[in-house]
Amino acid sequence: MKKAILATKVGMTQIFMEDGTLVPVTVLQAGPNVVTQVKTVENDGYEAVQVGFGDAVDRAKSKDKNGRVEVAHRHGVNKAQQGQFEKAGVDSKKYLREFRFENTADYKVGAEIKADIFAEGDKIDATAISKGKGFRSAIQKGQHRGPMGHGSKFHRHQGSNNSSSTPSRVFKGKGMPGHDGSVQVTVRNLEVVKVDPEKNLILVKGAVPGPKKGLVTLKETTKVEC
């Protein structure tokens, strides 16, 4: 892998291309990502670059018995991570991820990875947690539908679950009501339409999984479609 970055989803809009066509795009606030650690074979057994994204939010500061403030903690950052950030000389970050770049020697602790790592026309894979839908019926999940005619009055139920004597069981994978969404989804082979290095924005053609303000991981695609 040569290119990768963490981003948050801003929303969707439309832009005009040079040939006048109107294209739907997803706007992503990409970085800047800060390199917090460079892992090597000698120290860690593998090569990778750990990056941080998004400043952690301050939470209640701990106090000693005399009421004096001891340490200012960050939301979601434990003491080990806080020590790592201090050692790297960077602010506490909300998200930490590892990328296995082909040449980790090109990255130094404290260096920034910005939106200009990608260029117009690049093909990427976008990974995010999809929107959570909560508990949904079998009809809402699109898995089954009852008979619609002949006065059945049986339109909103999933129908029969299994046969009677044979096989006398419910087959695995039967569409049932249950929790929907909130799973990791990867959309492959998306096209970068525009990059704004000054504002660290990346415009991607089409839809990207996840809600607004959700974390999205962008990587160069592993499967280019012809």
Side-chain angles (χ1 to χ4, degrees), residues 120-170:
E120 181 178 338
D122 285 352
K123 298 291 185 177
I124 61 173
D125 296 339
T127 302
I129 302 298
S130 63
K131 292 182 180 180
K133 306 296 184 180
F135 185 90
R136 309 187 84 190
S137 69
I139 303 297
Q140 288 174 318
K141 293 174 74 174
Q143 295 171 334
H144 193 80
R145 190 176 191 90
M148 296 300 294
H150 303 285
S152 66
K153 300 180 181 179
F154 195 73
H155 308 314
R156 301 294 299 175
H157 194 278
Q158 65 184 16
S160 176
N161 287 334
N162 66 298
S163 303
S164 54
S165 60
T166 303
S168 297
R169 64 185 179 88
V170 180

Side-chain angles (χ1 to χ4, degrees), residues 13-213:
T13 185
Q14 302 176 82
I15 63 172
F16 284 98
M17 304 298 289
E18 293 182 356
D19 58 359
T21 57
L22 191 62
V23 176
V25 295
T26 301
V27 182
L28 300 168
Q29 184 71 49
N33 294 176
V34 180
V35 177
T36 56
Q37 186 180 4
V38 178
K39 298 195 173 185
T40 60
V41 176
E42 294 76 14
N43 295 332
D44 307 283
Y46 65 99
E47 291 186 351
V49 176
Q50 184 189 78
V51 300
F53 175 57
D55 293 332
V57 181
D58 282 317
R59 65 180 180 183
K61 300 178 180 179
S62 61
K63 298 181 180 180
D64 60 13
K65 59 183 179 180
N66 297 322
R68 294 174 299 185
V69 176
E70 288 183 322
V71 181
H73 293 285
R74 296 279 188 163
H75 179 69
V77 178
N78 56 37
K79 289 185 177 180
Q81 291 174 332
Q82 194 165 354
Q84 179 186 347
F85 292 135
E86 292 175 356
K87 182 179 179 180
V90 300
D91 294 334
S92 299
K93 298 300 178 181
K94 184 177 182 180
Y95 303 108
L96 283 178
R97 296 292 187 273
E98 288 186 4
F99 297 136
R100 295 200 176 188
F101 292 117
E102 292 182 357
N103 190 3
T104 58
D106 295 339
Y107 298 90
K108 305 297 181 183
V109 175
E112 289 187 341
I113 301 176
K114 298 184 178 181
D116 56 7
I117 191 174
F118 290 104
E120 181 178 338
D122 285 352
K123 298 291 185 177
I124 61 173
D125 296 339
T127 302
I129 302 298
S130 63
K131 292 182 180 180
K133 306 296 184 180
F135 185 90
R136 309 187 84 190
S137 69
I139 303 297
Q140 288 174 318
K141 293 174 74 174
Q143 295 171 334
H144 193 80
R145 190 176 191 90
M148 296 300 294
H150 303 285
S152 66
K153 300 180 181 179
F154 195 73
H155 308 314
R156 301 294 299 175
H157 194 278
Q158 65 184 16
S160 176
N161 287 334
N162 66 298
S163 303
S164 54
S165 60
T166 303
S168 297
R169 64 185 179 88
V170 180
F171 288 108
K172 292 181 179 179
K174 170 65 179 177
M176 296 281 188
H179 186 270
D180 191 20
S182 190
V183 294
Q184 181 172 295
V185 177
T186 298
V187 180
R188 300 188 183 276
N189 206 43
L190 295 173
E191 181 182 353
V192 176
V193 175
K194 186 177 180 181
V195 177
D196 188 342
E198 296 182 358
K199 298 181 179 179
N200 278 315
L201 295 177
I202 296 178
L203 276 61
V204 179
K205 184 178 181 180
V208 170
K212 292 181 180 179
K213 299 183 181 180

Side-chain angles (χ1 to χ4, degrees), residues 3-5 7 28 30 118 124-126 202 204 216-220:
K3 303 177 182 180
I5 196 171
L28 300 168
F118 290 104
I124 61 173
D125 296 339
I202 296 178
V204 179
V216 182
T217 303
L218 303 179
K219 300 178 182 179
E220 65 172 346

